[in-house]
Amino acid sequence: MSVESVITENLDIWTSAIKTKSASGRGSSNKLELYGIKKLRELILELAVRGKLVPQDLNDEPASKLLEKISIERAELVKTKAIKKQKQLPEVNEDELSFSIPSNWSWTRLGNITEIGPRNDIDDEQKVAFIPMPLISTSYDGKHGQETRIWSEVKKGYTHFADGDIAIAKITPCFENSKAAYFSNLQGGVGCGTTELHVARPIPDTLDPLFILLYLKAPMFLELGKTKMTGSAGQKRVPKDFFAGNPLPFPPLNEQKRIVAKVNELMKLCDQLESKTESSIEAHKTLVETLLATLTNAKDAEELNENWQRISEHFDTLFTTEDSIDQLKQTILQLAVMGKLVKQDPNDEPASALLERIAQEKEQLIKDKKIKKQKALAPLEDVAKPYDLPSDWSWCRLEDVVDIQSGITKGRKLAGRELITIPYLSVANVQRSYLELENVKEVDIPIDEQDKYEVKKGDLLITEGGDWDKVGRTAIWNNEMPYVGHQNHVFKARRFLSSQNVVWLEKYLNSTVARDYFAGSSKQTTNLASINKTQLRGCLIAIPPTAEQERIVNRIESMFTLCDQLRLKVINAQLTQLSIADSISSSLVN
């Protein structure tokens, strides 16, 4: 069976091997990486430069003869001073080789068949192409953009190149991301640009530059190149000697052209697969959103249950991505906070009675000077409510049901005060609905502030912000450590009555309703957002009767358990598909 047959007969593997990549941002979803198609593209390049993509033709002039002609032509160009004389690199020895090539191919080095680092000599007033790094793509065919400049303005201090030249980005992460170019259709046929390029100029009509580009983009070249980088972190570069001297598998000229043509053909197939897969993913996403909307739009718990049963019969085909399961979880929370997740019981004590008891306790704590009275906010009746509540529920503000406290400010001047070293919670420790405690840092605080900053069992921890996902992120402290404080970027919210259900409050604060409030109220800069204590105090909270809160929380936990089972199934299926794609790729290359 031919390599191409193996590729085309496993199209379902390439399209179904998908990775989930987390994404943050307002309203953002997890990103799906089409791993199988990405792997297929890499496989095509790898097979191309190993001589396994197209059959060899015994009538082709062997590469050894072509190399002899290139050597003669190169020497003539040096003699006529058309190019500068460059150091002849040694022949490739067997110790340098990691794979075998077809018998009519030869090993050589890029520096022996091209001019490395060429310079242009043209009229100062000529219009030329100017190409900064952002205009160099990662496309397999070396596409690039260009700007127009006058040669006298850019000829010094930039890298030179011309139509037909090949270049790679030498600096991290551009090199690893496969930024490389085959320069063509340049303004005036020449150009210059970013200094972070290695450029090779082929001897005219001796090779197909696009084949060389395939070699520079092949995974084996990129992986080896990463190990050869020099320099400090963030400024590492691939040395010129590696670019010019790494062993290059070199086919006959006619085969180079056949390989380039076949790669073009297969890459177009990859484009089609990618487009079809993305359309399928988008259609699936729309279907999930539409069906979940039938849940949130249900007029009561009875209609909700009917719609839920209808959807649950197709869980295995609907919820096939982690993002769709996240959507399902958010829908469950949305239903919960709107009073649609469980039936109301007319025998339940109304939420207003609970709020009265909380208000009395809060007033007593203020009177006893155990908490501070805060500046009054706008009357609740003057604030627009997000939606209508069931008759026995009530709206209130977050400050009506918890005491909100800011945390430790680091970097204060504490000279002359008796200090104690304590562990403290930062934004990184407080995730949405859970705590990440593997890396809890310590800080010195005055010993008389130890009680003030202590986080106690049942306290809500609410993040101030950072990127969009960090705004209002909420978790509950359950005495995971003997003592812990909290940083000023993490608010502490403590209930007034031990009978209050903090799990309900946590679920509400992590719901779409609260997240929309935080997004609308937060201080925003590019990709950053944060809320202050006053905005947090003013957050509207829907309070159900105490008994209903417990029923809702139990239902949420039950449904979330199902979601977690679905997620595990999805992850295992993804890992299986990724493993199969890797296995097929490995078997073809080796």
Side-chain angles (χ1 to χ4, degrees):
M1 183 181 295
S2 69
V3 168
E4 187 174 356
S5 297
V6 175
I7 290 175
T8 54
E9 289 180 12
N10 288 281
L11 295 183
D12 59 327
I13 298 298
W14 310 122
T15 55
S16 60
I18 297 173
K19 264 186 179 179
T20 302
K21 300 174 72 176
S22 61
S24 63
R26 183 179 180 182
S28 64
S29 302
N30 289 326
K31 293 180 180 179
L32 296 180
E33 177 188 31
L34 305 186
Y35 178 83
I37 297 175
K38 176 176 176 285
K39 198 73 180 176
L40 178 56
R41 292 185 190 276
E42 292 175 351
L43 174 62
I44 291 167
L45 294 175
E46 195 80 11
L47 295 174
V49 299
R50 288 173 180 256
K52 295 185 176 183
L53 192 62
V54 300
Q56 281 70 53
D57 187 338
L58 296 179
N59 295 318
D60 287 343
E61 179 183 67
S64 58
K65 295 291 186 182
L66 178 57
L67 289 174
E68 290 175 6
K69 292 179 180 179
I70 292 175
S71 180
I72 293 170
E73 180 64 21
R74 193 162 177 258
E76 185 62 28
L77 290 172
V78 170
K79 185 177 178 181
T80 60
K81 298 184 178 181
I83 64 173
K84 289 184 179 180
K85 184 176 182 179
Q86 295 182 320
K87 181 177 68 174
Q88 182 69 21
L89 299 174
E91 291 187 6
V92 178
N93 62 64
E94 290 187 5
D95 294 340
E96 298 178 85
L97 306 181
S98 58
F99 59 91
S100 59
I101 56 176
S103 59
N104 60 346
W105 288 38
S106 292
W107 286 101
T108 186
R109 302 183 196 276
L110 190 57
N112 285 339
I113 59 174
T114 65
E115 180 186 6
I116 303 297
R119 303 294 292 177
N120 298 328
D121 184 13
I122 59 175
D123 185 79
D124 277 356
E125 300 307 312
Q126 183 172 329
K127 289 183 178 180
V128 299
F130 182 79
I131 304 179
M133 187 65 78
L135 295 185
I136 296 175
S137 75
T138 59
S139 173
Y140 81 96
D141 55 3
K143 288 182 179 178
H144 58 81
Q146 61 180 295
E147 300 168 359
T148 300
R149 295 285 193 278
I150 302 299
W151 183 245
S152 61
E153 298 173 357
V154 293
K155 68 178 182 179
K156 293 182 180 179
Y158 292 105
T159 303
H160 290 199
F161 41 75
D163 281 344
D165 290 355
I166 313 128
I168 63 164
K170 61 185 176 184
I171 193 168
T172 188
C174 298
F175 174 80
E176 299 95 313
N177 292 338
S178 187
K179 273 189 172 263
Y182 167 60
F183 294 112
S184 61
N185 298 315
L186 297 174
Q187 173 81 43
V190 294
C192 63
T194 172
T195 58
E196 300 295 350
L197 292 178
H198 287 311
V199 178
R201 180 167 294 172
I203 307 303
D205 303 320
T206 59
L207 56 79
D208 190 327
L210 288 173
F211 174 81
I212 305 300
L213 185 71
L214 299 179
Y215 156 76
L216 297 176
K217 285 180 165 288
M220 62 174 182
F221 179 83
L222 297 175
E223 288 301 317
L224 183 59
K226 284 191 284 186
T227 69
K228 303 296 183 181
M229 284 184 156
T230 60
S232 58
Q235 290 292 315
K236 288 191 172 185
R237 292 175 172 84
V238 174
K240 177 182 176 181
D241 289 347
F242 173 74
F243 174 67
N246 191 60
L248 164 67
F250 197 64
L253 181 57
N254 286 338
E255 188 171 346
Q256 291 179 37
K257 297 180 182 299
R258 294 198 300 275
I259 290 171
V260 169
K262 179 54 69 175
V263 169
N264 286 335
E265 177 186 329
L266 293 175
M267 288 298 184
K268 287 179 181 177
L269 172 62
C270 290
D271 291 342
Q272 293 169 2
L273 292 175
E274 192 169 76
S275 177
K276 184 177 179 181
T277 304
E278 287 174 345
S279 296
S280 177
I281 290 172
E282 192 59 34
H284 172 263
K285 181 181 177 182
T286 300
L287 175 62
V288 169
E289 290 173 350
T290 301
L291 292 176
L292 290 179
T294 67
L295 300 180
T296 54
N297 293 333
K299 65 178 182 293
D300 53 33
E302 184 176 346
E303 183 178 329
L304 168 66
N305 281 330
E306 290 177 3
N307 293 339
W308 175 264
Q309 289 300 322
R310 194 175 300 115
I311 291 174
S312 65
E313 293 173 5
H314 304 284
F315 268 2
D316 288 347
T317 54
L318 282 175
F319 302 104
T320 56
T321 66
E322 290 185 70
D323 191 49
S324 63
I325 296 168
D326 287 340
Q327 286 180 275
L328 177 58
K329 278 191 166 185
Q330 276 301 313
T331 299
I332 292 168
L333 287 181
Q334 182 78 357
L335 294 168
V337 302
M338 294 177 73
K340 295 183 178 181
L341 199 60
V342 301
K343 289 183 179 180
Q344 278 74 50
D345 186 337
N347 296 317
D348 288 342
E349 178 189 66
S352 56
L354 170 63
L355 290 175
E356 285 178 12
R357 290 195 297 274
I358 294 174
Q360 290 171 3
E361 178 65 18
K362 180 180 179 181
E363 191 63 34
Q364 188 62 47
L365 289 170
I366 294 173
K367 185 176 180 180
D368 295 341
K369 297 184 178 180
K370 291 183 178 179
I371 64 172
K372 292 181 179 180
K373 186 174 184 178
Q374 301 293 326
K375 184 179 179 180
L377 299 171
L380 193 63
E381 52 267 24
D382 294 341
V383 180
K385 311 304 187 295
Y387 49 86
D388 294 330
L389 295 178
S391 58
D392 51 358
W393 287 40
S394 294
W395 284 109
C396 69
R397 296 186 186 278
L398 184 59
E399 71 165 2
D400 295 329
V401 290
V402 293
D403 178 46
I404 302 168
Q405 295 294 329
S406 299
I408 301 161
T409 300
K410 296 174 67 179
R412 294 180 295 164
K413 294 180 180 179
L414 301 173
R417 302 181 68 177
E418 184 182 357
L419 304 179
I420 183 174
T421 301
I422 65 160
Y424 72 92
L425 299 173
S426 66
V427 172
N429 301 122
V430 181
Q431 301 297 315
R432 203 168 292 284
S433 297
Y434 71 95
L435 295 163
E436 178 56 71
L437 302 177
E438 288 187 7
N439 184 24
V440 176
K441 297 179 181 179
E442 294 184 336
V443 66
D444 289 340
I445 64 169
I447 195 167
D448 58 2
E449 293 181 352
Q450 187 174 1
D451 291 342
K452 175 182 179 181
Y453 294 122
E454 181 181 9
V455 183
K456 295 183 178 180
K457 183 177 174 62
D459 284 351
L460 293 164
L461 296 160
I462 307 166
T463 56
E464 176 188 65
D467 60 39
W468 280 108
D469 184 58
K470 294 184 180 72
V471 181
R473 205 159 59 186
T474 305
I476 302 171
W477 182 253
N478 284 305
N479 281 357
E480 286 85 350
M481 296 169 60
Y483 175 92
V484 74
H486 62 109
Q487 188 187 13
N488 62 327
H489 298 302
V490 175
F491 296 105
K492 175 177 64 185
R494 182 169 293 164
R495 58 190 168 181
F496 294 116
L497 298 174
S498 60
S499 59
Q500 288 176 248
N501 193 324
V502 291
V503 178
W504 165 255
L505 295 176
E506 178 264 306
K507 297 304 181 190
Y508 186 96
L509 290 171
N510 283 321
S511 73
T512 303
V513 176
R515 293 174 75 172
D516 285 346
Y517 168 78
F518 294 139
S521 302
S522 62
K523 178 182 178 182
Q524 304 166 24
T525 58
T526 304
N527 296 324
L528 296 175
S530 63
I531 51 169
N532 58 36
K533 184 177 177 181
T534 301
Q535 291 162 339
L536 185 59
R537 288 171 51 213
C539 179
L540 288 178
I541 301 287
I543 301 295
T546 301
E548 187 174 344
Q549 287 183 40
E550 185 173 350
R551 293 197 301 274
I552 293 172
V553 166
N554 289 338
R555 183 76 189 277
I556 289 173
E557 296 299 341
S558 173
M559 297 173 92
F560 273 21
T561 297
L562 173 61
C563 291
D564 292 338
Q565 292 170 351
L566 284 171
R567 182 187 296 276
L568 183 61
K569 187 174 181 180
V570 166
I571 291 172
N572 288 335
Q574 283 185 348
L575 290 175
T576 298
Q577 293 297 330
L578 298 179
S579 177
I580 292 173
D582 287 338
S583 178
I584 294 174
S585 297
S586 179
S587 66
L588 289 176
V589 169
N590 299 321

